[in-house]
């Protein structure tokens, strides 16, 4: 199923930037159980089914593909791959609405943070794949540094206040306009991540934490993050591991995509093009799809 761009987005929305995260693909061991969890607890809707997988999304727009393999082995915590997939909801009201749904259904949360640019709630699916549900603050409230980076922090989020403000009417899944705002990866080396995402793919380095870099297009706070908190120096991810199989970056500007492909060619990185999708494996063994602008 081809993704259709989200329409009527504010000009500064994560998915309105020159490049943005379109979808993610996880390999799981128990497909029916994990898919049912994403549908009930996160509110994703099934869009397509096959013997080996299911495609889930919001308002008919694919966001997450789940597949299973007989030989899939549980990825160790230290392996490169997914730290979390971050689902961006339209506003604070929708974040509170999801929180109330989670509380009413006994969803176990792992944390909640105020990042200055956003408010985020963290959890994991039944197989340990990390998830963030978040809303962005208006960009007028963001503070940019002189070097072009954006000020972020990790402060406590008042979940009780968010819950108390949430509408009490029935919850029918994630709101139309929900997208994957960013994807956060585990990698083995930060300078290597800087070279790949900034120097090859052309994303801006927007922030640094100890052991982590944050990259984005259009001065967003981050579309991709990479950390070494669990995976410093780890060997490449193996193809039969559970977890993040691949993810897609969609480019709105053909020139930016072409520049990235040229740099990958110069480095002799194998890239296979099919239907406007350029498929490759990143330096840590994670699949990456670079998608051309939609017509």
């Amino acid at each position: 199923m081809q993704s259709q761009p989200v329409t009527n987005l504010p000009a500064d929305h994560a998915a309105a930037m020159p490049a943005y995260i379109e979808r993610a693909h996880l390999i799981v061991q128990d497909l029916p159980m994990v898919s049912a969890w994403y549908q009930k607890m996160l509110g994703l809707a099934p869009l397509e089914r096959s013997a080996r997988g299911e495609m889930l999304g919001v308002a008919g727009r694919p966001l997450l593909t789940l597949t299973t393999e007989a030989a899939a082995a549980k990825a160790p915590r230290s392996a490169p791959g997914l730290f979390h997939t971050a689902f961006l909801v339209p506003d604070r009201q929708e974040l509170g609405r999801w929180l109330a749904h989670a509380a009413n259904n006994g969803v176990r949360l792992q944390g909640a943070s105020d990042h200055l640019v956003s408010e985020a709630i963290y959890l994991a699916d039944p197989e340990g794949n990390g998830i963030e549900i978040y809303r962005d603050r208006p960009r007028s409230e963001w503070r940019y540094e002189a070097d072009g980076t954006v000020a972020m922090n990790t402060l406590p989020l008042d979940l009780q206040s968010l819950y108390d403000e949430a509408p009490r009417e029935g919850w029918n899944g994630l709101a139309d306009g929900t997208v994957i705002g960013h994807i956060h990866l585990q990698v083995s080396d930060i300078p290597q991540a800087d070279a790949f995402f900034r120097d090859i793919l052309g994303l801006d380095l927007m922030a640094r934490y100890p052991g982590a870099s944050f990259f984005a297009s259009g001065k967003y706070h981050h579309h991709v993050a990479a950390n070494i908190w669990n995976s410093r120096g780890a060997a490449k991810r193996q193809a039969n591991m559970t977890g993040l199989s691949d993810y897609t970056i969609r480019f709105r500007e053909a020139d930016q995509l072409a520049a990235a492909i040229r740099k990958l060619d110069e480095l002799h990185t194998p890239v296979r093009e099919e239907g406007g999708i350029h498929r490759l494996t990143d330096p840590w063994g994670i699949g990456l799809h670079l998608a051309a602008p939609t017509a």
Side-chain angles (χ1 to χ4, degrees):
M1 176 181 287
Q2 294 292 320
S3 287
Q4 297 300 318
V6 177
T7 57
N8 301 320
L9 290 175
D12 59 2
H13 189 277
M17 296 300 95
Y20 61 97
I21 303 300
E22 186 172 65
R23 61 172 79 181
H25 171 199
L26 303 180
I27 296 175
V28 300
Q29 291 181 314
D30 189 333
L31 176 63
M33 181 268 291
V34 175
S35 178
W37 186 90
Y38 275 98
Q39 292 176 53
K40 180 178 180 181
M41 300 306 187
L42 240 61
L44 297 180
L47 303 178
E48 285 187 4
R49 287 190 172 96
S50 69
R52 291 183 53 248
E54 296 192 8
M55 185 182 293
L56 308 174
V58 172
R61 186 171 189 269
L63 296 180
L64 183 68
T65 298
L66 304 173
T67 59
T68 190
E69 299 177 6
K74 182 71 174 176
R77 187 167 180 265
S78 60
L82 185 69
F83 191 67
H84 59 243
T85 306
F87 295 90
L88 172 61
V89 298
D91 51 39
R92 192 170 199 265
Q93 175 177 288
E94 291 301 331
L95 184 63
R97 194 192 302 272
W98 179 82
L99 174 63
H101 163 75
N104 293 337
N105 284 274
V107 176
R108 181 180 178 185
L109 304 181
Q110 295 180 330
S113 297
D114 180 342
H115 293 302
L116 303 183
V117 295
S118 63
E119 294 180 312
I121 301 171
Y122 297 94
L123 63 156
D125 73 18
E127 294 195 0
N129 296 296
I131 297 167
E132 175 181 341
I133 311 290
Y134 77 111
R135 72 100 180 183
D136 278 332
R137 285 198 166 92
R139 269 204 212 197
S140 60
E141 298 179 17
W142 301 8
R143 180 170 61 84
Y144 290 93
E145 309 290 359
D147 61 1
T149 58
V150 66
M152 294 198 295
N153 205 333
T154 300
L155 306 173
L157 177 62
D158 186 348
L159 284 177
Q160 188 62 54
S161 172
L162 186 63
Y163 178 85
D164 290 343
E165 294 172 23
R168 288 297 182 260
E169 59 265 28
W171 187 83
N172 296 308
L174 290 173
D176 188 3
T178 297
V179 301
I180 296 181
H182 65 267
I183 196 159
H184 194 146
L185 307 174
Q186 296 194 159
V187 301
S188 52
D189 183 74
I190 292 300
Q192 188 180 36
D194 292 349
F196 184 73
F197 292 108
R198 179 189 59 195
D199 303 336
I200 297 175
L201 297 189
L203 301 179
D204 296 320
L205 178 63
M206 293 305 298
R208 287 195 190 276
Y209 279 14
S213 288
F214 298 77
F215 310 93
S217 173
K219 296 300 180 181
Y220 188 60
H221 54 74
H222 66 296
H223 288 103
V224 178
N227 78 61
I228 56 170
W229 300 329
N230 301 317
S231 52
R232 182 192 300 268
K236 281 188 177 183
R237 174 182 180 80
Q238 299 301 304
N240 68 330
M241 285 181 177
T242 59
L244 184 64
S245 173
D246 56 75
Y247 64 101
T248 300
I249 299 177
R250 173 74 67 177
F251 289 82
R252 292 185 182 273
E253 300 176 0
D255 289 350
Q256 184 180 359
L257 174 58
I261 298 302
R262 283 196 302 272
K263 291 178 181 178
L264 290 164
D265 287 344
E266 290 168 5
L267 295 171
H268 306 291
T269 302
V271 179
R272 178 171 56 89
E273 192 274 336
E274 180 182 344
I277 307 293
H278 301 262
R279 305 172 191 272
L280 63 140
T281 302
D282 75 12
W284 311 281
I286 305 165
L288 173 58
H289 298 168
L290 306 178
T294 55

